[in-house]
Each structure stands twice: as structure tokens, then as C-alpha cells.
Amino acid sequence: MGLLAEIINSRLFTTVRDSLGLTYDVSFELSLFDRLKLGWYVVSVTSTPGKVHKAVDACKSVLRGLHSNKVAQRELDRAKRTLLMRHETEIKSNAYWLGLLAHLQASSVPRKDVSCIKDLTSLYEAATIEDIYVAYEQLKVDEDSLYSCIGVAGAQAGEEINALEEEETDDDFQGVIPVGRGLSTMTRPTT
């Protein structure tokens, strides 16, 4: 999963930031997939209010695009090098060791023992593109499984939100009373 996360991070940064210019920064983080048969991931995007929706759509496209735009061997090799260098650097840190040793004795995490730490380098080196796709299948990237939360802040945010509100007519949301300071906190009907 770590290699998959590194590949997705690289693609997000290259596509959403460098190619499309929709964000200042973008990152992808996995949570709990190493301990459970489920988990979640978060894609964080830092953008301008006018570009944030396009940036979120571009991120979703990158996540879903791993099937149509297959992972290349050079991407996997770069992810391996990055994680191996990070491991080599962080192995000197107590916090990193605590993370590696977490759940070592937990019965809910089968087959995890001290050899996992010793074998980490070998596991990274032996990983294949097929392994990446086995990990990718654990992510749910369909429309029903993705949830977006967009927060808009700053001086320009108010102007952007006011412009969006002016475009909407009262007929769009009959019977709904606006609540809050802007679009992100306004009560909307769901269908």
C-alpha cells in the first residue's frame, strides 16, 4: 500500500499541480489499510476558491485513471527508491520504530512479527506492478464510494461564494433557508 500511495502522490502532483496548474499542493494519505480489511484515504488539495472544484475533479480522475493509464515500471522503481531512502533515513527515529512495531503482538494483525521489519527492504524491492494493482483493488474509487469535503477560507473566499450565490435563483432551493456564512455551510436539500 505504501508503494501505491507513493505512485498516486506522484501522479496527483504531476497532473493536478504541474500539468493542470489547479493547486498549490496535493497529497494522498492512507489510513488503517495495513491493519484492517478496510480503511480510508484522504486527498488534500490546496487551491484557490475558483479552481478548487476543478482540482477535486482532477484528483478523482487521477485516482480512477490507474486502470486506463497503467502504472509503468519506472513509476514503481521511483516509488521503491523513495520509500527505501525514506526508510533508511527514518530508521534512526524512535517514532518511526514505534510505528513499525505497532500491533506487533496484536492477535487482530496476523503474521506480523519482528521479521516484517527485517524484511521491509526485501518486500519493497520484490514488489511488482501486479502487487500494486492488488493493493489498488482495496481502494474504492467509484462515484458511490468517494466523498468530497471542500472548505473555502480567506479574503477571496467571500467574493467567490457571493458570486456563486448570486448565480443561483431562489427557485433552485425553494423552502430552504440559508444558514451559516457561505456556500460550504448552507443547508441544501438532498435528493
Side-chain angles (χ1 to χ4, degrees):
M1 288 303 253
L3 289 167
L4 173 64
E6 191 62 36
I7 290 167
I8 291 173
N9 260 316
S10 177
R11 284 190 177 196
L12 285 168
F13 200 82
T14 301
T15 304
V16 182
R17 182 183 181 270
D18 293 345
S19 296
L20 300 175
L22 296 173
T23 183
Y24 304 116
D25 192 25
V26 61
S27 66
F28 177 84
E29 293 179 39
L30 293 166
S31 295
L32 291 180
F33 282 99
D34 58 335
R35 285 166 258 193
L36 302 171
K37 290 184 180 179
L38 55 98
W40 68 90
Y41 54 90
V42 175
V43 178
S44 299
V45 175
T46 305
S47 187
T48 62
K51 293 181 181 178
V52 71
H53 292 282
K54 288 179 183 176
V56 169
D57 290 341
C59 289
K60 289 178 184 179
S61 178
V62 168
L63 283 174
R64 293 182 179 130
L66 262 69
H67 281 301
S68 58
N69 186 6
K70 296 290 186 191
V71 173
Q73 186 63 45
R74 65 177 167 67
E75 287 180 288
L76 178 57
D77 292 342
R78 183 175 47 237
K80 287 178 183 182
R81 279 191 309 274
T82 301
L83 290 182
L84 285 169
M85 286 189 305
R86 188 176 303 149
H87 174 69
E88 198 172 296
T89 301
E90 292 182 1
I91 201 83
K92 299 166 189 142
S93 158
N94 286 339
Y96 183 68
W97 272 102
L98 287 173
L100 291 175
L101 295 170
H103 308 288
L104 195 62
Q105 296 175 328
S107 61
S108 62
V109 185
R111 301 181 311 200
K112 183 170 182 180
D113 57 32
V114 177
S115 68
C116 292
I117 298 168
K118 181 183 70 158
D119 297 339
L120 189 61
T121 302
S122 300
L123 288 171
Y124 283 153
E125 290 171 352
T128 65
I129 292 174
E130 291 77 25
D131 296 328
I132 298 303
Y133 280 99
V134 168
Y136 180 67
E137 292 305 318
Q138 301 304 307
L139 302 183
K140 302 294 184 204
V141 296
D142 59 285
E143 195 60 43
D144 293 334
S145 299
L146 290 178
Y147 299 92
S148 298
C149 177
I150 298 172
V152 181
Q156 293 177 347
E159 297 166 14
E160 185 76 22
I161 290 168
N162 289 337
L164 288 171
E165 287 174 344
E166 288 173 10
E167 290 176 11
E168 297 171 351
T169 64
D170 291 336
D171 297 334
D172 290 341
F173 304 104
Q174 286 186 350
V176 177
I177 301 169
V179 177
R181 295 174 292 169
L183 190 63
S184 63
T185 55
M186 191 173 290
T187 304
R188 303 280 191 201
T190 57
T191 54

